[in-house]
Every structure is written in C-alpha cells, then in structure tokens.
Amino acid sequence: MKNIIWAGLNWLRIGGPIQLAIAGYMLQTGWLRSYYSKRSVNKQGNPIPWITYPALKFVAEKIHPEHRVFEYGSGGSTRWYADRVKTIISVEHEAAWFKIVQDMGLPAHVQLLQRGLDQGYAEAILEQKGEFDLIIIDGRQRNACLRAALQKVSPQGIILFDNSEVPGYAESHFLMEKEGYKHLHFWGMVAITPGESCTTIFYRPNNCFDI
C-alpha cells in the first residue's frame, strides 16, 4: 500500500516536495516551520539569523565565545549570537521593531542601539570603543555600513554581508577586493522564503575563523 501511495504522489509530481518536508532538508533546517510561522527559526522553533543555511552552519562551527560582535539589523539573530559570544552590539533603524527586540529579554551582554537612517545608522559602529571580531551587515544602507565597518573590524576580523547577490551591492565587492579581502560565497535557501540567496563572508589571512 505504501508503495502504491508514493507511486501516486510521484505521478502527481508532489512526492519529492512531500519527502523533503517529512524527512529531508526542509525538515532538518526548520524551513517548513519558518515558512508557516513567518519567523526565522530552526526546527525546534528557536530564532536563527536570517542568512543562508550553508552560511549559518559555517558560522555556527566557527564562532567563539570570546568574539566581539557588531550587527546591523536586530532581531532573532541578536538572540542567536547572544547565546554564543562575549559581547554583541546591534543597531536597528526601525523604532517599532527595535521595541519588539528590546522586549525579547536579551541578556546583559547585549547592547541595542536605535538609529534612524538619517540619524547615523551606518556610522553607529564608529561610536563604539575597540574593534570587532565579527561584523554582520544585514540591515539597511549596506554599502555605507561596510565602509564604516572597515574602520572597526579587527586585523583578524570577519565581515558577513548578507544578500550579497543584489546588484546594488557590487560596489561593496569591489571595495573589499581593493582592501585585500578574500571571500566565501554561501548560496542556498533561507528561512521563510522559497528562493535562493547568497551570504558572503569577507576575510583576510590569519583570521579568527581560521579560514
């Protein structure tokens, strides 16, 4: 009977998607749960960064508790990084969303900043003391954020640039090449949406991710 059912589903061209949903990639990554909840979560329902799944897996393996992180674009990712690093400073441009993130009950080593797009959003990192091991660019004004980030990334630091396939971000690729950075492109699916995207990690030799 089981074989007959699957034969029928395959004939209808829906056997593959069903298999992915009940035992495959969409189940393992939590994509199906994120799609229905419209939240970037894993299969247990815990928040995850809204970057490609291959990039997320790579970062999860490389990140260290002593890392100091700056993040453009607050949200579930802020919680995810907070559970893994010593310090995270996150800046958000949208006041209403900032209040939601504030109410998440984040630990004390998380610092949230709210800056409007015309109120020093991209430059918020320049207000901070010291350098950062990991800088995540996943908010607005990404080209401007990258230019500011280059002034605060540590010599061993990593810059993660999400949605790097967008044509409008080409100038950031050219800038990083000019500055002597190498890159890793992580193409793949992301939570919630069915399409493919790219998350890029920029690095130099002797970096904190040991790339």
Side-chain angles (χ1 to χ4, degrees):
M1 178 60 72
K2 181 180 178 180
N3 291 338
I4 294 174
I5 292 173
W6 277 109
L9 293 173
N10 289 333
W11 183 81
L12 292 169
R13 297 294 191 267
I14 59 174
I18 290 175
Q19 186 66 28
L20 283 171
I22 64 175
Y25 190 73
M26 291 192 292
L27 178 68
Q28 295 162 7
T29 58
W31 183 88
L32 204 63
R33 186 165 189 164
S34 75
Y35 176 79
Y36 286 114
S37 68
K38 302 306 176 190
R39 295 182 299 121
S40 185
V41 295
N42 61 15
K43 64 180 180 179
Q44 289 82 26
N46 299 318
I48 59 173
W50 202 8
I51 59 178
T52 66
Y53 289 122
L56 178 59
K57 185 175 186 294
F58 184 81
V59 173
E61 293 171 351
K62 297 292 186 178
I63 203 161
H64 190 275
E66 292 300 312
H67 284 162
R68 193 162 181 257
V69 176
F70 189 94
E71 176 188 43
Y72 286 100
S74 308
S77 57
T78 311
R79 162 63 71 181
W80 190 88
Y81 287 110
D83 291 340
R84 290 163 174 80
V85 299
K86 179 180 181 179
T87 303
I88 175 168
I89 301 173
S90 183
V91 61
E92 173 59 37
H93 78 282
E94 188 176 293
W97 182 249
F98 175 78
K99 181 65 168 60
I100 291 172
V101 178
Q102 268 190 322
D103 293 340
M104 286 182 179
L106 296 169
H109 63 279
V110 177
Q111 181 181 354
L112 298 176
L113 307 173
Q114 201 275 315
R115 299 285 187 278
L117 297 180
D118 58 351
Q119 298 173 328
Y121 173 80
E123 296 76 25
I125 193 171
L126 303 179
E127 304 169 9
Q128 312 309 314
K129 294 180 180 180
E131 297 174 324
F132 295 92
D133 303 298
L134 174 61
I135 300 175
I136 299 121
I137 299 176
D138 197 14
R140 298 291 186 92
Q141 300 178 341
R142 296 188 194 189
N143 293 323
C145 291
L146 180 64
R147 292 192 294 270
L150 283 171
Q151 301 178 56
K152 298 295 286 185
V153 64
S154 72
Q156 299 81 31
I158 298 290
I159 296 178
L160 185 154
F161 197 109
D162 197 29
N163 307 115
S164 55
E165 79 281 5
V166 174
Y169 300 146
E171 67 178 79
S172 287
H173 290 277
F174 294 139
L175 175 60
M176 296 305 277
E177 184 177 354
K178 179 181 176 182
E179 293 292 326
Y181 281 79
K182 296 181 179 181
H183 64 265
L184 292 174
H185 293 318
F186 291 90
W187 284 91
M189 292 181 67
V190 299
I192 305 173
T193 61
E196 186 181 43
S197 186
C198 183
T199 302
T200 295
I201 288 178
F202 292 104
Y203 66 96
R204 291 176 289 191
N206 304 312
N207 57 81
C208 64
F209 274 16
D210 294 323
I211 302 173

